[in-house]
mmCIF file of all heavy atoms in Angstrom:
data_model
loop_
_atom_site.group_PDB
_atom_site.id
_atom_site.type_symbol
_atom_site.label_atom_id
_atom_site.label_comp_id
_atom_site.label_asym_id
_atom_site.label_seq_id
_atom_site.Cartn_x
_atom_site.Cartn_y
_atom_site.Cartn_z
ATOM 1 N N ALA A 319 112.940 7.051 152.160
ATOM 2 C CA ALA A 319 114.030 6.104 151.922
ATOM 3 C C ALA A 319 115.184 6.896 151.312
ATOM 4 O O ALA A 319 114.988 7.949 150.704
ATOM 5 C CB ALA A 319 113.586 5.000 150.976
ATOM 6 N N ILE A 320 116.404 6.401 151.482
ATOM 7 C CA ILE A 320 117.581 7.138 151.008
ATOM 8 C C ILE A 320 118.483 6.229 150.181
ATOM 9 O O ILE A 320 118.418 5.005 150.286
ATOM 10 C CB ILE A 320 118.383 7.745 152.176
ATOM 11 C CG1 ILE A 320 118.845 6.643 153.150
ATOM 12 C CG2 ILE A 320 117.566 8.804 152.899
ATOM 13 C CD1 ILE A 320 119.722 7.154 154.298
ATOM 14 N N ASN A 321 119.335 6.865 149.367
ATOM 15 C CA ASN A 321 120.261 6.064 148.568
ATOM 16 C C ASN A 321 121.599 5.920 149.278
ATOM 17 O O ASN A 321 121.785 6.382 150.419
ATOM 18 C CB ASN A 321 120.401 6.644 147.150
ATOM 19 C CG ASN A 321 121.360 7.818 147.062
ATOM 20 O OD1 ASN A 321 121.817 8.363 148.075
ATOM 21 N ND2 ASN A 321 121.691 8.224 145.850
ATOM 22 N N GLN A 322 122.568 5.319 148.598
ATOM 23 C CA GLN A 322 123.845 4.957 149.212
ATOM 24 C C GLN A 322 124.775 6.141 149.447
ATOM 25 O O GLN A 322 125.790 6.007 150.145
ATOM 26 C CB GLN A 322 124.562 3.912 148.341
ATOM 27 C CG GLN A 322 124.973 4.397 146.959
ATOM 28 C CD GLN A 322 123.830 4.338 145.957
ATOM 29 O OE1 GLN A 322 122.691 3.992 146.298
ATOM 30 N NE2 GLN A 322 124.131 4.667 144.719
ATOM 31 N N ASP A 323 124.462 7.309 148.876
ATOM 32 C CA ASP A 323 125.317 8.489 149.047
ATOM 33 C C ASP A 323 124.836 9.400 150.163
ATOM 34 O O ASP A 323 125.314 10.528 150.288
ATOM 35 C CB ASP A 323 125.383 9.284 147.733
ATOM 36 C CG ASP A 323 126.106 8.521 146.638
ATOM 37 O OD1 ASP A 323 126.981 7.710 146.974
ATOM 38 O OD2 ASP A 323 125.781 8.730 145.448
ATOM 39 N N ILE A 324 123.898 8.919 150.964
ATOM 40 C CA ILE A 324 123.347 9.706 152.065
ATOM 41 C C ILE A 324 123.504 8.929 153.366
ATOM 42 O O ILE A 324 123.381 7.704 153.385
ATOM 43 C CB ILE A 324 121.849 10.015 151.829
ATOM 44 C CG1 ILE A 324 121.668 10.797 150.535
ATOM 45 C CG2 ILE A 324 121.255 10.785 153.003
ATOM 46 C CD1 ILE A 324 120.207 10.977 150.140
ATOM 47 N N LYS A 325 123.771 9.654 154.438
ATOM 48 C CA LYS A 325 123.791 9.065 155.772
ATOM 49 C C LYS A 325 122.779 9.798 156.645
ATOM 50 O O LYS A 325 122.709 11.027 156.664
ATOM 51 C CB LYS A 325 125.180 9.163 156.400
ATOM 52 C CG LYS A 325 126.224 8.246 155.753
ATOM 53 C CD LYS A 325 125.940 6.797 156.064
ATOM 54 C CE LYS A 325 127.040 5.870 155.559
ATOM 55 N NZ LYS A 325 127.038 5.765 154.068
ATOM 56 N N ALA A 326 121.961 9.011 157.363
ATOM 57 C CA ALA A 326 121.017 9.564 158.337
ATOM 58 C C ALA A 326 121.595 9.400 159.732
ATOM 59 O O ALA A 326 122.304 8.428 160.015
ATOM 60 C CB ALA A 326 119.675 8.852 158.223
ATOM 61 N N LEU A 327 121.305 10.364 160.611
ATOM 62 C CA LEU A 327 121.817 10.340 161.982
ATOM 63 C C LEU A 327 120.696 9.940 162.937
ATOM 64 O O LEU A 327 119.744 10.700 163.138
ATOM 65 C CB LEU A 327 122.365 11.715 162.384
ATOM 66 C CG LEU A 327 123.611 12.218 161.644
ATOM 67 C CD1 LEU A 327 123.238 12.869 160.320
ATOM 68 C CD2 LEU A 327 124.382 13.204 162.501
ATOM 69 N N LEU A 328 120.805 8.759 163.508
ATOM 70 C CA LEU A 328 119.797 8.252 164.437
ATOM 71 C C LEU A 328 120.325 8.347 165.864
ATOM 72 O O LEU A 328 121.450 7.921 166.153
ATOM 73 C CB LEU A 328 119.450 6.802 164.110
ATOM 74 C CG LEU A 328 118.962 6.519 162.678
ATOM 75 C CD1 LEU A 328 118.630 5.043 162.521
ATOM 76 C CD2 LEU A 328 117.759 7.376 162.324
ATOM 77 N N PHE A 329 119.501 8.924 166.758
ATOM 78 C CA PHE A 329 119.891 9.049 168.168
ATOM 79 C C PHE A 329 118.640 9.205 169.007
ATOM 80 O O PHE A 329 117.522 9.375 168.483
ATOM 81 C CB PHE A 329 120.853 10.224 168.380
ATOM 82 C CG PHE A 329 120.376 11.519 167.783
ATOM 83 C CD1 PHE A 329 119.546 12.379 168.486
ATOM 84 C CD2 PHE A 329 120.760 11.886 166.496
ATOM 85 C CE1 PHE A 329 119.105 13.567 167.940
ATOM 86 C CE2 PHE A 329 120.331 13.081 165.941
ATOM 87 C CZ PHE A 329 119.506 13.922 166.659
ATOM 88 N N ASP A 330 118.793 9.160 170.326
ATOM 89 C CA ASP A 330 117.670 9.241 171.257
ATOM 90 C C ASP A 330 117.226 10.701 171.383
ATOM 91 O O ASP A 330 117.914 11.510 172.013
ATOM 92 C CB ASP A 330 118.082 8.681 172.619
ATOM 93 C CG ASP A 330 116.918 8.581 173.593
ATOM 94 O OD1 ASP A 330 115.861 9.177 173.314
ATOM 95 O OD2 ASP A 330 117.083 7.918 174.641
ATOM 96 N N HIS A 331 116.074 11.040 170.808
ATOM 97 C CA HIS A 331 115.610 12.431 170.814
ATOM 98 C C HIS A 331 115.102 12.870 172.180
ATOM 99 O O HIS A 331 114.870 14.067 172.386
ATOM 100 C CB HIS A 331 114.510 12.607 169.771
ATOM 101 C CG HIS A 331 115.024 12.549 168.359
ATOM 102 N ND1 HIS A 331 114.319 13.021 167.285
ATOM 103 C CD2 HIS A 331 116.188 12.064 167.853
ATOM 104 C CE1 HIS A 331 115.006 12.834 166.173
ATOM 105 N NE2 HIS A 331 116.137 12.244 166.499
ATOM 106 N N THR A 332 114.921 11.939 173.105
ATOM 107 C CA THR A 332 114.507 12.336 174.449
ATOM 108 C C THR A 332 115.686 12.831 175.274
ATOM 109 O O THR A 332 115.511 13.522 176.285
ATOM 110 C CB THR A 332 113.845 11.164 175.184
ATOM 111 O OG1 THR A 332 114.806 10.112 175.394
ATOM 112 C CG2 THR A 332 112.659 10.622 174.395
ATOM 113 N N VAL A 333 116.898 12.487 174.845
ATOM 114 C CA VAL A 333 118.110 12.903 175.559
ATOM 115 C C VAL A 333 118.838 14.021 174.810
ATOM 116 O O VAL A 333 119.399 14.930 175.426
ATOM 117 C CB VAL A 333 119.059 11.698 175.755
ATOM 118 C CG1 VAL A 333 120.331 12.136 176.485
ATOM 119 C CG2 VAL A 333 118.356 10.591 176.526
ATOM 120 N N PHE A 334 118.798 13.951 173.490
ATOM 121 C CA PHE A 334 119.519 14.920 172.674
ATOM 122 C C PHE A 334 118.546 15.647 171.743
ATOM 123 O O PHE A 334 117.729 15.008 171.067
ATOM 124 C CB PHE A 334 120.608 14.226 171.843
ATOM 125 C CG PHE A 334 121.560 13.425 172.668
ATOM 126 C CD1 PHE A 334 121.441 12.039 172.750
ATOM 127 C CD2 PHE A 334 122.559 14.046 173.388
ATOM 128 C CE1 PHE A 334 122.308 11.293 173.525
ATOM 129 C CE2 PHE A 334 123.438 13.309 174.172
ATOM 130 C CZ PHE A 334 123.312 11.934 174.248
ATOM 131 N N SER A 335 118.637 16.962 171.729
ATOM 132 C CA SER A 335 117.748 17.779 170.907
ATOM 133 C C SER A 335 118.103 17.652 169.432
ATOM 134 O O SER A 335 119.260 17.860 169.043
ATOM 135 C CB SER A 335 117.842 19.250 171.330
ATOM 136 O OG SER A 335 117.275 20.100 170.362
ATOM 137 N N ASN A 336 117.117 17.310 168.629
ATOM 138 C CA ASN A 336 117.318 17.160 167.195
ATOM 139 C C ASN A 336 117.801 18.474 166.564
ATOM 140 O O ASN A 336 118.773 18.506 165.794
ATOM 141 C CB ASN A 336 116.007 16.714 166.544
ATOM 142 C CG ASN A 336 116.198 16.222 165.121
ATOM 143 O OD1 ASN A 336 116.936 15.275 164.887
ATOM 144 N ND2 ASN A 336 115.545 16.865 164.175
ATOM 145 N N ASP A 337 117.127 19.577 166.884
ATOM 146 C CA ASP A 337 117.502 20.872 166.320
ATOM 147 C C ASP A 337 118.901 21.283 166.766
ATOM 148 O O ASP A 337 119.658 21.880 165.994
ATOM 149 C CB ASP A 337 116.495 21.950 166.735
ATOM 150 C CG ASP A 337 115.114 21.707 166.145
ATOM 151 O OD1 ASP A 337 115.028 20.993 165.134
ATOM 152 O OD2 ASP A 337 114.131 22.232 166.705
ATOM 153 N N TYR A 338 119.253 20.973 168.011
ATOM 154 C CA TYR A 338 120.584 21.307 168.494
ATOM 155 C C TYR A 338 121.659 20.586 167.681
ATOM 156 O O TYR A 338 122.640 21.205 167.251
ATOM 157 C CB TYR A 338 120.739 20.931 169.979
ATOM 158 C CG TYR A 338 122.154 21.130 170.466
ATOM 159 C CD1 TYR A 338 122.569 22.370 170.909
ATOM 160 C CD2 TYR A 338 123.084 20.086 170.430
ATOM 161 C CE1 TYR A 338 123.891 22.565 171.313
ATOM 162 C CE2 TYR A 338 124.387 20.274 170.834
ATOM 163 C CZ TYR A 338 124.788 21.519 171.268
ATOM 164 O OH TYR A 338 126.094 21.720 171.656
ATOM 165 N N ILE A 339 121.492 19.285 167.469
ATOM 166 C CA ILE A 339 122.489 18.498 166.730
ATOM 167 C C ILE A 339 122.647 19.052 165.313
ATOM 168 O O ILE A 339 123.768 19.192 164.800
ATOM 169 C CB ILE A 339 122.096 17.008 166.691
ATOM 170 C CG1 ILE A 339 122.097 16.416 168.098
ATOM 171 C CG2 ILE A 339 123.047 16.237 165.782
ATOM 172 C CD1 ILE A 339 123.434 16.473 168.815
ATOM 173 N N VAL A 340 121.531 19.382 164.662
ATOM 174 C CA VAL A 340 121.592 19.920 163.299
ATOM 175 C C VAL A 340 122.436 21.183 163.255
ATOM 176 O O VAL A 340 123.340 21.331 162.421
ATOM 177 C CB VAL A 340 120.168 20.211 162.767
ATOM 178 C CG1 VAL A 340 120.227 21.047 161.489
ATOM 179 C CG2 VAL A 340 119.444 18.907 162.499
ATOM 180 N N HIS A 341 122.165 22.110 164.154
ATOM 181 C CA HIS A 341 122.861 23.399 164.090
ATOM 182 C C HIS A 341 124.277 23.312 164.647
ATOM 183 O O HIS A 341 125.156 24.088 164.229
ATOM 184 C CB HIS A 341 122.033 24.470 164.797
ATOM 185 C CG HIS A 341 120.720 24.714 164.113
ATOM 186 N ND1 HIS A 341 120.640 25.260 162.847
ATOM 187 C CD2 HIS A 341 119.439 24.433 164.485
ATOM 188 C CE1 HIS A 341 119.368 25.332 162.479
ATOM 189 N NE2 HIS A 341 118.633 24.830 163.444
ATOM 190 N N TYR A 342 124.521 22.370 165.545
ATOM 191 C CA TYR A 342 125.906 22.156 165.968
ATOM 192 C C TYR A 342 126.754 21.713 164.775
ATOM 193 O O TYR A 342 127.862 22.212 164.560
ATOM 194 C CB TYR A 342 125.988 21.112 167.087
ATOM 195 C CG TYR A 342 127.415 20.877 167.543
ATOM 196 C CD1 TYR A 342 127.974 21.661 168.541
ATOM 197 C CD2 TYR A 342 128.217 19.908 166.939
ATOM 198 C CE1 TYR A 342 129.283 21.479 168.949
ATOM 199 C CE2 TYR A 342 129.533 19.720 167.335
ATOM 200 C CZ TYR A 342 130.066 20.511 168.334
ATOM 201 O OH TYR A 342 131.378 20.343 168.713
ATOM 202 N N LEU A 343 126.237 20.781 163.993
ATOM 203 C CA LEU A 343 126.981 20.312 162.828
ATOM 204 C C LEU A 343 127.154 21.434 161.802
ATOM 205 O O LEU A 343 128.183 21.506 161.121
ATOM 206 C CB LEU A 343 126.279 19.108 162.201
ATOM 207 C CG LEU A 343 126.309 17.825 163.035
ATOM 208 C CD1 LEU A 343 125.483 16.732 162.363
ATOM 209 C CD2 LEU A 343 127.741 17.347 163.246
#
Side-chain angles (χ1 to χ4, degrees):
I320 59 177
N321 81 350
Q322 64 278 4
D323 293 331
I324 300 172
K325 289 290 186 289
L327 294 83
L328 304 181
F329 51 87
D330 187 346
H331 289 198
T332 65
V333 179
F334 305 101
S335 165
N336 193 59
D337 294 338
Y338 174 85
I339 296 300
V340 168
H341 296 294
Y342 180 88
L343 291 175

